[in-house]
Amino acid sequence: MPNPDKPRTDTVLKVGIVGCGAISRNHLEAFAAAEGAEVTVVCDIDPDRARETAAQYGVPEAVGSVAELLATGVDIVSVCTPHPTHEEVVLAAAAAGVHVLCEKPVAVDLASAQRMTEACDAAGVQLGVLFQRRFWPAAQEMKQALTPGHLGEPVLGQCTVLLHRDPTYYSATPWRGTWDSDGGGVLMTQAIHYIDLMVWMMGEPVEVTGRIATFTHDIEVEDTAVATVTFASGALATITATTAADTSLGARVQVTASSGATRAILEYPEGTDGRAVLRAVDGTVTTTPDYPADLVANADLRTINGALIPHHTAQVADFVDAVRQGREPAVTGHDATRSLAVLLAVYESSRTGAPVRLSGEATR
Ligand SMILES: NC(=O)c1ccc[n+]([C@@H]2O[C@H](COP(=O)([O-])OP(=O)(O)OC[C@H]3O[C@@H](n4cnc5c(N)ncnc54)[C@H](O)[C@@H]3O)[C@@H](O)[C@H]2O)c1
């Protein structure tokens, strides 16, 4: 997609986007802004959708299968298909020696995530996974504050995700809301972003206890969940998540460190930048109002996804640079597997009623 305003490099990496649904716009715009990369082909199993997307964004080619897309000789594949289909696309890209940036969740079960990371490691290609909220300036700053020499080791975390989804969110998209085609509910699709932030800040999770429930939506999977997480350091955290709230109250990640200092970030309304809303350090408390009165709480999904574009852009820029420099991207397939392991353990614990120990393999 030619963009005359962006800086040029000698070689331009060719990018193919697989899946031309709601989130593909974020990838198309993010790669359009990225230095040294250009979307040269889009793919969808619905050929009309692929053609329309190509026409709308000025992409030279539209194809109907991943094999055709890989045959065009791309350097990077961006995966924007429903979660359970991520694996087949990632494995095909790895087999072709192509770097992959995959939407979250990387997969819907651990064996699948591990096959993906192993295939990419063996092929020597980068696997990055979209957790664009890590690129909020407030998240980067909070992560930095929790490193040794600053506030001390994290000891207590709280991850609270209170969202609204209209019933049509589940009914209008056929793959949403079932265990087979969606892999889970609020934990798998929404809370995973904030679980990822918490795990990123707190370290290696080792044990999870949780319960899930479906209160409001007419879906197989959970619309509500609670859990506790124990980390290798001994730190403890809680997760509370729902899409059954009548009014979205956003998502908050709060961490208390061994010094006794507490920091929190809040994303409200959904889709906007997470803001540092609480700093309680050395007896001094700074807060910003949690809930400004004059805003739309339940924005539509297109608005929410649109508001995420700057963060997709930051993560895509990091991924393109990682490929160019031959370094790991900021969020790897292994990181994404670790966050996935936590929420899958909530499902298992809810099923069995027992705590679930996480295997080091998945969570390191
Ligand atoms: N990072 C974020 O904040 C964020 C936000 C929304 C969605 N997502 C993720 O993006 C992924 C897609 O979500 P969406 O809302 O765009 O879904 P969507 O249903 O709007 O779009 C999916 C598209 O993929 C196509 N498709 C399905 N299987 C395919 C295949 N094998 N090959 C090619 N195309 C195929 C479908 O025809 C459809 O056009 C999901 O994994 C979701 O979790 C991430």
Side-chain angles (χ1 to χ4, degrees):
M1 185 166 18
N3 174 355
D5 296 330
K6 75 177 179 181
R8 308 303 304 174
T9 52
D10 290 345
T11 52
V12 174
L13 298 173
K14 295 203 277 178
V15 180
I17 293 188
V18 182
C20 297
I23 207 62
S24 65
R25 170 169 67 124
N26 293 41
H27 290 241
L28 284 151
E29 296 204 10
F31 278 107
E35 185 174 339
E38 217 134 80
V39 179
T40 53
V41 54
V42 291
C43 162
D44 201 291
I45 46 171
D46 176 344
D48 288 340
R49 197 174 265 195
R51 275 193 294 273
E52 281 159 22
T53 302
Q56 187 182 350
Y57 288 91
V59 177
E61 267 193 271
V63 297
S65 72
V66 176
E68 287 171 272
L69 175 135
L70 291 169
T72 67
V74 291
D75 304 294
I76 293 174
V77 165
S78 220
V79 186
C80 302
T81 57
H83 335 318
T85 64
H86 291 173
E87 181 182 352
E88 67 189 63
V89 184
V90 170
L91 296 189
V98 172
H99 304 282
V100 205
L101 182 60
C102 182
E103 266 300 347
K104 51 50 65 175
V106 61
V108 292
D109 66 77
L110 279 186
S112 171
Q114 279 159 1
R115 285 191 294 273
M116 292 157 79
T117 52
E118 279 165 19
C120 290
D121 288 347
V125 298
Q126 302 295 352
L127 171 60
V129 179
L130 255 301
F131 278 121
Q132 75 279 3
R133 287 170 170 89
R134 285 200 196 184
F135 289 79
W136 288 335
Q140 299 268 336
E141 206 235 327
M142 185 162 151
K143 165 79 177 163
Q144 182 60 28
L146 292 165
T147 54
H150 295 267
L151 299 181
E153 289 287 311
V155 294
L156 179 64
Q158 287 167 266
C159 171
T160 310
V161 184
L162 300 176
L163 302 179
H164 167 80
R165 283 293 179 273
D166 193 80
T168 56
Y169 169 77
Y170 295 106
S171 60
T173 305
W175 61 272
R176 292 209 186 275
T178 71
W179 288 109
D180 273 355
S181 58
D182 208 354
V186 62
L187 289 175
M188 184 67 80
T189 296
Q190 286 84 20
I192 190 169
H193 282 285
Y194 314 98
I195 292 172
D196 175 73
L197 281 177
M198 192 173 72
V199 168
W200 180 48
M201 292 183 191
M202 295 196 65
E204 186 191 338
V206 292
E207 189 176 281
V208 174
T209 305
R211 301 287 293 184
I212 59 171
T214 311
F215 289 130
T216 300
H217 292 293
D218 184 16
I219 52 176
E220 256 178 46
V221 294
E222 85 290 357
D223 63 20
T224 302
V226 293
T228 62
V229 184
T230 306
F231 292 83
S233 64
L236 300 172
T238 58
I239 299 168
T240 305
T242 191
T243 53
D246 177 63
T247 305
S248 178
L249 297 176
R252 181 179 172 111
V253 176
Q254 179 166 307
V255 179
T256 299
S258 52
S259 64
T262 297
R263 300 280 305 253
I265 43 181
L266 172 73
E267 175 184 338
Y268 181 75
E270 191 185 359
T272 54
D273 279 25
R275 294 172 302 127
V277 287
L278 172 69
R279 283 192 183 87
V281 180
D282 294 336
T284 305
V285 179
T286 320
T287 58
T288 52
D290 277 10
Y291 303 120
D294 58 341
L295 44 76
V296 179
N298 298 339
D300 63 76
L301 211 54
R302 189 171 162 76
T303 305
I304 293 171
N305 285 340
L308 299 173
I309 290 172
H311 311 303
H312 271 84
T313 301
Q315 188 166 355
V316 161
D318 169 79
F319 188 76
V320 170
D321 185 64
V323 168
R324 300 186 79 85
Q325 308 296 333
R327 64 162 172 88
E328 277 194 344
V331 190
T332 65
H334 295 281
D335 295 336
T337 304
R338 185 158 85 159
S339 302
L340 178 69
V342 171
L343 71 93
L344 291 174
V346 180
Y347 294 150
E348 187 183 337
S349 174
S350 189
R351 245 188 342 265
T352 62
V356 174
R357 294 293 298 178
L358 300 180
S359 99
E361 189 90 332
T363 57
R364 235 171 264 130

